[in-house]
Amino acid sequence: MSVQGFMFPRSRTGRASLLPPPPWHYSGHMLTLEYRTDLDAVAELLPSGLAPADEDPGAVAVIWADWQSCSDTFEELLDPVRAQYREVFVVIRCKYRGRHYSRCVYIWVDTDYAMVRGHYQGYPKKLGSIFLTRPVTVGRAGPRLSPGGRFGASLAANDRRLLHATFEIGAESEHAGFVNALPMLHHRWMPAIEGDGADSLDEMVTMSAYESEIGRCFSGDFDLRIGDSPVEELTRLQPREPIAGYWREVAMSWRSGTTLERNNLTGI
Amino acid sequence: MSVQGFMFPRSRTGRASLLPPPPWHYSGHMLTLEYRTDLDAVAELLPSGLAPADEDPGAVAVIWADWQSCSDTFEELLDPVRAQYREVFVVIRCKYRGRHYSRCVYIWVDTDYAMVRGHYQGYPKKLGSIFLTRPVTVGRAGPRLSPGGRFGASLAANDRRLLHATFEIGAESEHAGFVNALPMLHHRWMPAIEGDGADSLDEMVTMSAYESEIGRCFSGDFDLRIGDSPVEELTRLQPREPIAGYWREVAMSWRSGTTLERNNLTGI
Amino acid sequence: MSVQGFMFPRSRTGRASLLPPPPWHYSGHMLTLEYRTDLDAVAELLPSGLAPADEDPGAVAVIWADWQSCSDTFEELLDPVRAQYREVFVVIRCKYRGRHYSRCVYIWVDTDYAMVRGHYQGYPKKLGSIFLTRPVTVGRAGPRLSPGGRFGASLAANDRRLLHATFEIGAESEHAGFVNALPMLHHRWMPAIEGDGADSLDEMVTMSAYESEIGRCFSGDFDLRIGDSPVEELTRLQPREPIAGYWREVAMSWRSGTTLERNNLTGI
Amino acid sequence: MSVQGFMFPRSRTGRASLLPPPPWHYSGHMLTLEYRTDLDAVAELLPSGLAPADEDPGAVAVIWADWQSCSDTFEELLDPVRAQYREVFVVIRCKYRGRHYSRCVYIWVDTDYAMVRGHYQGYPKKLGSIFLTRPVTVGRAGPRLSPGGRFGASLAANDRRLLHATFEIGAESEHAGFVNALPMLHHRWMPAIEGDGADSLDEMVTMSAYESEIGRCFSGDFDLRIGDSPVEELTRLQPREPIAGYWREVAMSWRSGTTLERNNLTGI
């Protein structure tokens, strides 16, 4: 007899696992702000073996998402403390073995399961406090999903405001930008317990969602301010030239990815 | 020269006031669960001078709301940490001088400004952790606004779960119940600093929103569980007979109320 | 029969009251940073009828406190989610009818009961996120209570860092400064529900703790940085000249105060 | 050139890493409650290859800790939002290759860095809300470190109270129990991204702190209540027979561990 559970803690029944087994389903809305920064600031975030994108290599996307997510039992949706979370992430693009990928370099969420689900997928998640204006259908306390609708968005960690953005809908859009539109290329790293500089887990993985669904989608102008922190490097990614902002309703399901390289430690 | 500000702290410019001056605007969605409890449990919550309602006097509404709110400058909507909050409140009805009113007897919110705005209006607000499933338009991680859509809702305070509800949409509805549908009748109390049992502030006020707007509205069945706490009395309001549940989009603006009785201390 | 409870919500038994009846007992430690700012920045915080202090009128104290507090039943100490909280407050001095007083002009706490207890006492409390380094008796992860011991302290609200201080113990001290050492003079304000500019509750109160007890007490040098926010005015109180910092163990009990002036609205 | 950082996110300078490199230093106080539960409930938490302890195999320790921790730069101690956290953990013992070990089977913390530091060390950390009464030296709002001093402690996750304990000091003690007194034996697991049931990272590690230091230490009686949750299995570990409770000041430093078995996936 052994312990059960997709993720730790593993136990008799697996019920205590920090994550239920995939697939996982997500529905929410997303604000994507794309801009160009210094190419060096992008290139320095790529580990050996990855190259900047061929075209528009200094492009960055900063993305807010307000999610509900659940397992294939859907039980979390009736106990929404286990279903609702928000995240902010920073995406660049890279090239590996002749193919282009999207790559998340920084990300903050506000629940433990979303944090560790990210670590499983190679997203380098930290905790943060995240807010994103919601559109409304009645009354005056929120934007409508139409031109002129204005949104605010913020991120704080360690009690410091790291990001503050505003966005105004300009027009309907057929897409939500190009920086986060490719399959993801992530590393999954876990240093060896010996603390000698080696990584026990050192994998390069790629993944895509399945059954993605896009609802209403809009583009518009934005403003983005970046604040500093002793434990962040976001200020190296200052906007030099805005591309565009996008707001959209989005959903997807996720089941698994593919390991592209595996350099895990072996033996003891 | 004197200090400025609608609410404390009052300062040179009034900018630090915990509340901007009214009017205040609200947009959001609301889950209302109506049921009958023991009449005694309702009657015991009415101060002297108030009587239970003539009809259906044991009716109770437990209501979750997920809000954005803002002042008349609308600036909070671009800094949503200052605009978004959730609340749960318990409403009964009462009769005073021949008229019927709604009355909030317990309420929890999750921000300071909403808490003190409530105190100003006679809502006896405490802080709580509040969740309410959101409907979605794409994907699988949330209900659609149509028959069969299922929602969950919870309240915790002092790290104890006090309420947990589920609701399933049955049909469209023309209204969202009757318990919270009347003008509010609230007391505003502040004990004297002498701690001698007298109230410096002792007012009975009534108020209604203006420019209320109702969006989509549905009725359905629900289940409600009540948990205990050493500093709550919710378990005295156990459901004996469900009436109905309602989900709706709702907005309103609020400017002021009317004092019906004033027994404030005078002189020193 | 009427409803019971020291504070709202008032109910059948009073158990749900946001505050138990006084006396309240407090034990904790406190970091006090005293400095001089522009006299105008102090004077502009005084309502009509109060004058700046005769001596050193530009003196300010910024104070962090890490508390346990409880009612006279002491039951909260066995359910510490109801006993532990932190606060940061800004104190100046003023003169009224020939006597000098201390006066809290800004204050943040991190629990609802401490917030409303403050409102009862005339402290203009908001919610904030508050941290203060604790001294330790073993190991390397904290200062010892002896010369050279270094502390950090911070305050954030609305996801913005408003204050960040460091302090280093220089020597033992017989006192913890003079700005917060006088009886408090506070206003208790609650605007009328009519929103016409009048205050229903408008009292000037004074109060002191009883059974104060001071433990170990030290003085030293400090650094204080003030950050901005659209809903604060702390940056008007920039340090011009440091006086001294103090760390001390402190306890007190509090039962009641005295109303000095009462201008409450009367009649309806 | 490659990216830097002990833990993800890895970046140009390594400053953004969720963890600074070891060693890490810890100072705090700890409440340990030891009791016996059903042997089956302990045995079912042991993965294949581990056996229950030879003596007293049904012994469990539930432990609250209130920490400051920091890196070898000690800078976190001056920005205490990055240094203070609390945790609750459940420890059993096991036997592997003829040696006995302590093993943490469940654990909750309240910061991201402590959570991921735990994952690095094989602690299956989730987030929780954790409170533990602090002793005081002055006043009435807390226990003294002497016989009769009473403490409370609680844990909640997903807005449900999972643990609530009370403890009363009986006498000084030379030790703080035996369940958590051995070197730790942990698994480090990370499922493969293919979601096929295999673990990319599958290591058994052992570790001990260095430079441990114990301050004042007391034993006493306790009461422990366990609450349920749909995503926990703590109720399987109900106390059958109390052993003893312990409160102590404790500090340690931690640098590295040793891999005992490594079954990581290799190749792609």
Side-chain angles (χ1 to χ4, degrees), chain D residues 182-206:
Chain D
L182 303 171
M184 307 305 295
L185 184 76
H186 287 160
H187 281 71
R188 308 201 313 159
W189 284 313
M190 181 56 71
I193 198 70
E194 281 75 12
D196 53 6
D199 285 316
S200 276
L201 176 71
D202 177 6
E203 296 181 346
M204 202 185 307
V205 299
T206 187

PDB file of all heavy atoms in Angstrom, chain D residues 182-206:
ATOM      1  N   LEU D 182      13.908  13.711  15.826  1.00  0.00           N
ATOM      2  CA  LEU D 182      14.867  12.933  15.016  1.00  0.00           C
ATOM      3  C   LEU D 182      15.198  13.686  13.732  1.00  0.00           C
ATOM      4  O   LEU D 182      14.501  14.637  13.374  1.00  0.00           O
ATOM      5  CB  LEU D 182      14.235  11.580  14.681  1.00  0.00           C
ATOM      6  CG  LEU D 182      13.789  10.743  15.886  1.00  0.00           C
ATOM      7  CD1 LEU D 182      12.988   9.532  15.426  1.00  0.00           C
ATOM      8  CD2 LEU D 182      15.003  10.310  16.693  1.00  0.00           C
ATOM      9  N   PRO D 183      16.227  13.272  13.012  1.00  0.00           N
ATOM     10  CA  PRO D 183      16.420  13.834  11.665  1.00  0.00           C
ATOM     11  C   PRO D 183      15.153  13.611  10.847  1.00  0.00           C
ATOM     12  O   PRO D 183      14.447  12.614  11.020  1.00  0.00           O
ATOM     13  CB  PRO D 183      17.593  13.011  11.114  1.00  0.00           C
ATOM     14  CG  PRO D 183      18.317  12.504  12.316  1.00  0.00           C
ATOM     15  CD  PRO D 183      17.258  12.287  13.366  1.00  0.00           C
ATOM     16  N   MET D 184      14.842  14.546   9.941  1.00  0.00           N
ATOM     17  CA  MET D 184      13.632  14.449   9.129  1.00  0.00           C
ATOM     18  C   MET D 184      13.879  13.498   7.956  1.00  0.00           C
ATOM     19  O   MET D 184      14.960  13.481   7.367  1.00  0.00           O
ATOM     20  CB  MET D 184      13.230  15.817   8.558  1.00  0.00           C
ATOM     21  CG  MET D 184      13.093  16.947   9.562  1.00  0.00           C
ATOM     22  SD  MET D 184      11.950  16.608  10.941  1.00  0.00           S
ATOM     23  CE  MET D 184      10.381  16.478  10.094  1.00  0.00           C
ATOM     24  N   LEU D 185      12.840  12.761   7.602  1.00  0.00           N
ATOM     25  CA  LEU D 185      12.865  11.956   6.373  1.00  0.00           C
ATOM     26  C   LEU D 185      11.689  12.407   5.507  1.00  0.00           C
ATOM     27  O   LEU D 185      10.521  12.174   5.865  1.00  0.00           O
ATOM     28  CB  LEU D 185      12.717  10.466   6.675  1.00  0.00           C
ATOM     29  CG  LEU D 185      12.831   9.594   5.420  1.00  0.00           C
ATOM     30  CD1 LEU D 185      14.277   9.478   4.975  1.00  0.00           C
ATOM     31  CD2 LEU D 185      12.248   8.207   5.658  1.00  0.00           C
ATOM     32  N   HIS D 186      11.993  13.058   4.400  1.00  0.00           N
ATOM     33  CA  HIS D 186      10.953  13.614   3.531  1.00  0.00           C
ATOM     34  C   HIS D 186      11.090  13.107   2.102  1.00  0.00           C
ATOM     35  O   HIS D 186      12.193  12.778   1.655  1.00  0.00           O
ATOM     36  CB  HIS D 186      11.036  15.145   3.511  1.00  0.00           C
ATOM     37  CG  HIS D 186      10.570  15.779   4.772  1.00  0.00           C
ATOM     38  ND1 HIS D 186      10.916  17.055   5.144  1.00  0.00           N
ATOM     39  CD2 HIS D 186       9.770  15.309   5.764  1.00  0.00           C
ATOM     40  CE1 HIS D 186      10.349  17.343   6.304  1.00  0.00           C
ATOM     41  NE2 HIS D 186       9.665  16.295   6.706  1.00  0.00           N
ATOM     42  N   HIS D 187       9.988  13.079   1.403  1.00  0.00           N
ATOM     43  CA  HIS D 187       9.988  12.881  -0.040  1.00  0.00           C
ATOM     44  C   HIS D 187       9.871  14.234  -0.730  1.00  0.00           C
ATOM     45  O   HIS D 187       9.180  15.124  -0.232  1.00  0.00           O
ATOM     46  CB  HIS D 187       8.829  11.985  -0.468  1.00  0.00           C
ATOM     47  CG  HIS D 187       9.109  10.528  -0.213  1.00  0.00           C
ATOM     48  ND1 HIS D 187       9.137   9.992   1.055  1.00  0.00           N
ATOM     49  CD2 HIS D 187       9.390   9.503  -1.072  1.00  0.00           C
ATOM     50  CE1 HIS D 187       9.422   8.696   0.985  1.00  0.00           C
ATOM     51  NE2 HIS D 187       9.574   8.370  -0.295  1.00  0.00           N
ATOM     52  N   ARG D 188      10.549  14.365  -1.832  1.00  0.00           N
ATOM     53  CA  ARG D 188      10.364  15.531  -2.715  1.00  0.00           C
ATOM     54  C   ARG D 188       9.780  14.987  -4.017  1.00  0.00           C
ATOM     55  O   ARG D 188      10.435  14.201  -4.714  1.00  0.00           O
ATOM     56  CB  ARG D 188      11.701  16.232  -2.971  1.00  0.00           C
ATOM     57  CG  ARG D 188      12.453  16.562  -1.681  1.00  0.00           C
ATOM     58  CD  ARG D 188      13.469  17.664  -1.865  1.00  0.00           C
ATOM     59  NE  ARG D 188      14.304  17.495  -3.041  1.00  0.00           N
ATOM     60  CZ  ARG D 188      14.970  18.486  -3.623  1.00  0.00           C
ATOM     61  NH1 ARG D 188      14.889  19.720  -3.122  1.00  0.00           N
ATOM     62  NH2 ARG D 188      15.710  18.262  -4.683  1.00  0.00           N
ATOM     63  N   TRP D 189       8.562  15.396  -4.301  1.00  0.00           N
ATOM     64  CA  TRP D 189       7.847  14.858  -5.458  1.00  0.00           C
ATOM     65  C   TRP D 189       7.414  15.977  -6.406  1.00  0.00           C
ATOM     66  O   TRP D 189       6.931  17.026  -5.949  1.00  0.00           O
ATOM     67  CB  TRP D 189       6.553  14.162  -4.993  1.00  0.00           C
ATOM     68  CG  TRP D 189       6.713  12.825  -4.356  1.00  0.00           C
ATOM     69  CD1 TRP D 189       7.456  11.774  -4.803  1.00  0.00           C
ATOM     70  CD2 TRP D 189       6.078  12.362  -3.145  1.00  0.00           C
ATOM     71  NE1 TRP D 189       7.328  10.695  -3.955  1.00  0.00           N
ATOM     72  CE2 TRP D 189       6.482  11.025  -2.938  1.00  0.00           C
ATOM     73  CE3 TRP D 189       5.206  12.955  -2.231  1.00  0.00           C
ATOM     74  CZ2 TRP D 189       6.051  10.273  -1.845  1.00  0.00           C
ATOM     75  CZ3 TRP D 189       4.767  12.210  -1.143  1.00  0.00           C
ATOM     76  CH2 TRP D 189       5.196  10.866  -0.959  1.00  0.00           C
ATOM     77  N   MET D 190       7.517  15.754  -7.681  1.00  0.00           N
ATOM     78  CA  MET D 190       6.913  16.632  -8.678  1.00  0.00           C
ATOM     79  C   MET D 190       6.501  15.745  -9.841  1.00  0.00           C
ATOM     80  O   MET D 190       7.345  15.128 -10.496  1.00  0.00           O
ATOM     81  CB  MET D 190       7.900  17.701  -9.152  1.00  0.00           C
ATOM     82  CG  MET D 190       7.331  18.676 -10.171  1.00  0.00           C
ATOM     83  SD  MET D 190       5.821  19.556  -9.654  1.00  0.00           S
ATOM     84  CE  MET D 190       6.480  20.679  -8.414  1.00  0.00           C
ATOM     85  N   PRO D 191       5.165  15.683 -10.074  1.00  0.00           N
ATOM     86  CA  PRO D 191       4.709  14.821 -11.169  1.00  0.00           C
ATOM     87  C   PRO D 191       5.267  15.290 -12.515  1.00  0.00           C
ATOM     88  O   PRO D 191       5.511  16.486 -12.712  1.00  0.00           O
ATOM     89  CB  PRO D 191       3.179  14.991 -11.131  1.00  0.00           C
ATOM     90  CG  PRO D 191       2.857  15.565  -9.797  1.00  0.00           C
ATOM     91  CD  PRO D 191       4.064  16.340  -9.363  1.00  0.00           C
ATOM     92  N   ALA D 192       5.434  14.366 -13.421  1.00  0.00           N
ATOM     93  CA  ALA D 192       5.844  14.703 -14.788  1.00  0.00           C
ATOM     94  C   ALA D 192       4.754  15.527 -15.460  1.00  0.00           C
ATOM     95  O   ALA D 192       3.563  15.365 -15.174  1.00  0.00           O
ATOM     96  CB  ALA D 192       6.114  13.429 -15.593  1.00  0.00           C
ATOM     97  N   ILE D 193       5.171  16.407 -16.355  1.00  0.00           N
ATOM     98  CA  ILE D 193       4.215  17.299 -17.022  1.00  0.00           C
ATOM     99  C   ILE D 193       3.286  16.507 -17.947  1.00  0.00           C
ATOM    100  O   ILE D 193       2.213  16.995 -18.315  1.00  0.00           O
ATOM    101  CB  ILE D 193       4.974  18.410 -17.794  1.00  0.00           C
ATOM    102  CG1 ILE D 193       4.034  19.580 -18.112  1.00  0.00           C
ATOM    103  CG2 ILE D 193       5.603  17.877 -19.070  1.00  0.00           C
ATOM    104  CD1 ILE D 193       3.629  20.370 -16.901  1.00  0.00           C
ATOM    105  N   GLU D 194       3.685  15.288 -18.275  1.00  0.00           N
ATOM    106  CA  GLU D 194       2.822  14.465 -19.128  1.00  0.00           C
ATOM    107  C   GLU D 194       1.565  13.981 -18.380  1.00  0.00           C
ATOM    108  O   GLU D 194       0.628  13.467 -19.012  1.00  0.00           O
ATOM    109  CB  GLU D 194       3.593  13.256 -19.662  1.00  0.00           C
ATOM    110  CG  GLU D 194       4.504  13.589 -20.849  1.00  0.00           C
ATOM    111  CD  GLU D 194       5.775  14.342 -20.457  1.00  0.00           C
ATOM    112  OE1 GLU D 194       6.088  14.426 -19.235  1.00  0.00           O
ATOM    113  OE2 GLU D 194       6.468  14.862 -21.355  1.00  0.00           O
ATOM    114  N   GLY D 195       1.547  14.106 -17.048  1.00  0.00           N
ATOM    115  CA  GLY D 195       0.351  13.740 -16.290  1.00  0.00           C
ATOM    116  C   GLY D 195       0.001  12.270 -16.419  1.00  0.00           C
ATOM    117  O   GLY D 195      -1.165  11.894 -16.365  1.00  0.00           O
ATOM    118  N   ASP D 196       1.020  11.448 -16.551  1.00  0.00           N
ATOM    119  CA  ASP D 196       0.801  10.012 -16.774  1.00  0.00           C
ATOM    120  C   ASP D 196       1.027   9.191 -15.510  1.00  0.00           C
ATOM    121  O   ASP D 196       1.159   7.967 -15.577  1.00  0.00           O
ATOM    122  CB  ASP D 196       1.728   9.530 -17.890  1.00  0.00           C
ATOM    123  CG  ASP D 196       3.180   9.902 -17.599  1.00  0.00           C
ATOM    124  OD1 ASP D 196       3.466  10.434 -16.484  1.00  0.00           O
ATOM    125  OD2 ASP D 196       4.038   9.682 -18.469  1.00  0.00           O
ATOM    126  N   GLY D 197       1.098   9.842 -14.364  1.00  0.00           N
ATOM    127  CA  GLY D 197       1.257   9.120 -13.117  1.00  0.00           C
ATOM    128  C   GLY D 197       2.703   9.001 -12.660  1.00  0.00           C
ATOM    129  O   GLY D 197       2.966   8.632 -11.518  1.00  0.00           O
ATOM    130  N   ALA D 198       3.641   9.316 -13.528  1.00  0.00           N
ATOM    131  CA  ALA D 198       5.053   9.248 -13.141  1.00  0.00           C
ATOM    132  C   ALA D 198       5.469  10.551 -12.453  1.00  0.00           C
ATOM    133  O   ALA D 198       4.889  11.608 -12.698  1.00  0.00           O
ATOM    134  CB  ALA D 198       5.914   9.011 -14.377  1.00  0.00           C
ATOM    135  N   ASP D 199       6.475  10.466 -11.596  1.00  0.00           N
ATOM    136  CA  ASP D 199       7.047  11.644 -10.952  1.00  0.00           C
ATOM    137  C   ASP D 199       8.387  11.984 -11.589  1.00  0.00           C
ATOM    138  O   ASP D 199       9.305  11.152 -11.588  1.00  0.00           O
ATOM    139  CB  ASP D 199       7.242  11.378  -9.456  1.00  0.00           C
ATOM    140  CG  ASP D 199       5.927  11.419  -8.683  1.00  0.00           C
ATOM    141  OD1 ASP D 199       5.133  12.337  -8.929  1.00  0.00           O
ATOM    142  OD2 ASP D 199       5.705  10.526  -7.848  1.00  0.00           O
ATOM    143  N   SER D 200       8.511  13.165 -12.112  1.00  0.00           N
ATOM    144  CA  SER D 200       9.810  13.621 -12.630  1.00  0.00           C
ATOM    145  C   SER D 200      10.824  13.712 -11.498  1.00  0.00           C
ATOM    146  O   SER D 200      11.977  13.324 -11.644  1.00  0.00           O
ATOM    147  CB  SER D 200       9.662  15.000 -13.277  1.00  0.00           C
ATOM    148  OG  SER D 200       9.216  14.911 -14.597  1.00  0.00           O
ATOM    149  N   LEU D 201      10.378  14.280 -10.390  1.00  0.00           N
ATOM    150  CA  LEU D 201      11.213  14.405  -9.200  1.00  0.00           C
ATOM    151  C   LEU D 201      10.651  13.434  -8.172  1.00  0.00           C
ATOM    152  O   LEU D 201       9.470  13.529  -7.810  1.00  0.00           O
ATOM    153  CB  LEU D 201      11.163  15.831  -8.666  1.00  0.00           C
ATOM    154  CG  LEU D 201      11.922  16.109  -7.363  1.00  0.00           C
ATOM    155  CD1 LEU D 201      13.421  16.073  -7.589  1.00  0.00           C
ATOM    156  CD2 LEU D 201      11.520  17.473  -6.786  1.00  0.00           C
ATOM    157  N   ASP D 202      11.489  12.517  -7.701  1.00  0.00           N
ATOM    158  CA  ASP D 202      11.048  11.529  -6.707  1.00  0.00           C
ATOM    159  C   ASP D 202      12.268  11.187  -5.870  1.00  0.00           C
ATOM    160  O   ASP D 202      13.029  10.281  -6.217  1.00  0.00           O
ATOM    161  CB  ASP D 202      10.470  10.295  -7.408  1.00  0.00           C
ATOM    162  CG  ASP D 202      10.067   9.202  -6.399  1.00  0.00           C
ATOM    163  OD1 ASP D 202      10.129   9.447  -5.175  1.00  0.00           O
ATOM    164  OD2 ASP D 202       9.717   8.101  -6.852  1.00  0.00           O
ATOM    165  N   GLU D 203      12.457  11.940  -4.804  1.00  0.00           N
ATOM    166  CA  GLU D 203      13.650  11.783  -3.979  1.00  0.00           C
ATOM    167  C   GLU D 203      13.258  11.597  -2.523  1.00  0.00           C
ATOM    168  O   GLU D 203      12.268  12.164  -2.056  1.00  0.00           O
ATOM    169  CB  GLU D 203      14.538  13.025  -4.089  1.00  0.00           C
ATOM    170  CG  GLU D 203      15.093  13.262  -5.484  1.00  0.00           C
ATOM    171  CD  GLU D 203      15.980  14.481  -5.570  1.00  0.00           C
ATOM    172  OE1 GLU D 203      15.954  15.302  -4.630  1.00  0.00           O
ATOM    173  OE2 GLU D 203      16.693  14.617  -6.583  1.00  0.00           O
ATOM    174  N   MET D 204      14.050  10.833  -1.815  1.00  0.00           N
ATOM    175  CA  MET D 204      13.923  10.739  -0.373  1.00  0.00           C
ATOM    176  C   MET D 204      15.137  11.444   0.213  1.00  0.00           C
ATOM    177  O   MET D 204      16.271  11.130  -0.149  1.00  0.00           O
ATOM    178  CB  MET D 204      13.889   9.282   0.057  1.00  0.00           C
ATOM    179  CG  MET D 204      13.242   9.088   1.415  1.00  0.00           C
ATOM    180  SD  MET D 204      13.336   7.367   1.964  1.00  0.00           S
ATOM    181  CE  MET D 204      12.654   6.497   0.583  1.00  0.00           C
ATOM    182  N   VAL D 205      14.868  12.431   1.075  1.00  0.00           N
ATOM    183  CA  VAL D 205      15.959  13.238   1.620  1.00  0.00           C
ATOM    184  C   VAL D 205      15.893  13.240   3.134  1.00  0.00           C
ATOM    185  O   VAL D 205      14.838  13.025   3.735  1.00  0.00           O
ATOM    186  CB  VAL D 205      15.903  14.690   1.089  1.00  0.00           C
ATOM    187  CG1 VAL D 205      16.034  14.711  -0.436  1.00  0.00           C
ATOM    188  CG2 VAL D 205      14.618  15.380   1.528  1.00  0.00           C
ATOM    189  N   THR D 206      17.025  13.489   3.739  1.00  0.00           N
ATOM    190  CA  THR D 206      17.070  13.671   5.191  1.00  0.00           C
ATOM    191  C   THR D 206      17.813  14.950   5.486  1.00  0.00           C
ATOM    192  O   THR D 206      18.646  15.413   4.682  1.00  0.00           O
ATOM    193  CB  THR D 206      17.728  12.469   5.891  1.00  0.00           C
ATOM    194  OG1 THR D 206      17.592  12.637   7.321  1.00  0.00           O
ATOM    195  CG2 THR D 206      19.206  12.361   5.557  1.00  0.00           C
TER     196      THR D 206
END
